[in-house]
């Protein structure tokens, strides 16, 4: 049996979240790397906390809170206009080099993005990168539950109308791979930075350097 559906996380997997750095540098010279790293770290931390307290808010709100705190912690003062401008950069993130060719290389496969991001964030991102025709789009904003909660992956499985063993889920985020693996999906960890897999008691089905070579079902 081969995989019927390839399902991809968006942020950090298909799109480089740190491609916002140039825009940050334009406003805050020499603070781009610091703010970008803190922005992403706080973004993940905050939606995890909101999930744990059963207090769902949309990913764009979490992302704005994380940006504000990243600016404060970096000693950068920003008005609402600057914050709004930086938030718009999330609609212009750059895809990794091989991403624009995924559909061309796998025309027979159903390619789907399943992200914690809202459709209002993801649809412009795909449009701006001419990728709207390449991917179907699912958002955890629909069930109001973030990955890595099992209910999020159940929602994706239901929408894909495929069984668990027909789905291969890709992510660069270990917490996302752990959640999908625990739920029952085969998983592919996209380890672009050659990191060590964390000791979580869960292993990905596949480990990839990038998305150039997509694995077949073992």
């Amino acid at each position: 049996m081969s995989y019927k559906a390839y399902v991809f996380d968006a942020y950090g997997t298909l799109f480089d979240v740190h491609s916002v750095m140039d825009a940050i540098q334009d406003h805050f010279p020499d603070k781009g790397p610091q703010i970008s790293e803190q922005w992403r770290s706080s973004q993940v931390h905050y939606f995890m906390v909101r999930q744990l307290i059963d207090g769902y808010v949309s990913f764009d709100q979490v992302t704005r809170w994380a940006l504000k705190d990243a600016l404060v912690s970096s000693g950068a003062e920003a008005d609402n206009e600057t914050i709004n401008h930086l938030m718009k950069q999330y609609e212009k993130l750059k895809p990794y080099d091989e991403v624009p060719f995924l559909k061309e290389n796998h025309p027979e496969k159903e390619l789907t993005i399943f992200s914690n991001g809202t459709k209002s964030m993801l649809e412009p991102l795909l449009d701006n990168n001419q990728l709207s025709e390449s991917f179907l789009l699912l958002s955890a904003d629909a069930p109001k539950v973030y990955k890595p909660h099992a209910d999020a992956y159940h929602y994706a499985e239901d929408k894909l109308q495929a069984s668990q063993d027909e789905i291969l889920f890709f992510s660069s985020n270990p917490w996302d791979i752990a959640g999908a693996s625990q739920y029952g999906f085969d998983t592919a960890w996209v380890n672009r930075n050659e990191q060590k897999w964390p000791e979580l008691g869960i292993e990905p089905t596949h480990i990839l350097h990038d998305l150039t070579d997509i694995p077949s079902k073992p």
Side-chain angles (χ1 to χ4, degrees):
M1 180 186 296
S2 62
Y3 294 115
K4 175 183 177 182
Y6 291 156
V7 183
F8 301 86
D9 171 58
Y11 300 121
T13 304
L14 298 177
F15 299 95
D16 181 2
V17 294
H18 297 299
S19 56
V20 297
M21 203 175 301
D22 289 344
I24 297 172
Q25 284 282 102
D26 288 343
H27 290 280
F28 308 104
D30 302 322
K31 291 182 182 289
Q34 179 184 356
I35 293 171
S36 182
E37 290 289 344
Q38 186 61 48
W39 188 2
R40 176 58 173 169
S41 176
S42 294
Q43 181 191 55
V44 173
H45 178 66
Y46 292 176
F47 79 68
M48 292 282 192
V49 170
R50 298 298 303 194
Q51 184 66 57
L52 286 170
I53 65 174
D54 195 22
Y56 181 86
V57 294
S58 64
F59 196 72
D60 52 353
Q61 180 63 69
V62 169
T63 301
R64 181 176 290 271
W65 287 339
L67 172 58
K68 287 182 176 180
D69 281 354
L71 292 168
V72 170
S73 67
S74 301
E77 296 185 7
D79 55 23
N80 284 333
E81 183 178 354
T82 300
I83 290 170
N84 289 338
H85 178 258
L86 293 178
M87 283 290 296
K88 290 293 288 184
Q89 302 313 300
Y90 246 73
E91 299 176 3
K92 302 174 183 179
L93 296 176
K94 295 177 182 177
Y96 290 101
D97 290 343
E98 71 278 12
V99 171
F101 305 103
L102 278 171
K103 187 61 178 177
E104 177 184 333
N105 293 339
H106 304 280
E108 79 289 355
K109 296 296 184 183
E110 186 176 88
L111 307 184
T112 301
I113 289 173
F114 179 43
S115 173
N116 282 336
T118 63
K119 286 193 174 182
S120 64
M121 298 173 72
L122 294 164
E123 287 173 347
L125 177 60
L126 292 178
D127 286 343
N128 288 330
N129 287 289
Q130 294 77 52
L131 289 171
S132 296
E133 301 301 317
S134 297
F135 297 93
L136 300 175
L137 186 57
L138 296 176
S139 170
D141 191 49
K144 308 298 183 189
V145 57
Y146 284 122
K147 300 179 296 174
H149 195 284
D151 288 351
Y153 303 105
H154 177 74
Y155 164 78
E157 180 187 3
D158 183 61
K159 288 296 182 180
L160 289 165
Q161 296 184 332
S163 60
Q164 287 185 8
D165 59 5
E166 294 177 317
I167 296 169
L168 180 59
F169 180 79
F170 298 79
S171 182
S172 64
N173 302 297
W175 53 263
D176 203 3
I177 290 293
S181 296
Q182 181 69 22
Y183 179 71
F185 291 158
D186 279 8
T187 54
W189 181 39
V190 187
N191 184 18
R192 297 183 183 277
N193 298 318
E194 299 184 358
Q195 298 174 317
K196 177 186 177 297
W197 177 255
E199 296 295 333
L200 291 169
I202 298 172
E203 298 290 333
T205 312
H206 311 276
I207 298 178
L208 313 178
H209 175 69
D210 55 30
L211 293 168
T212 301
D213 296 315
I214 299 298
S216 57
K217 193 170 178 62

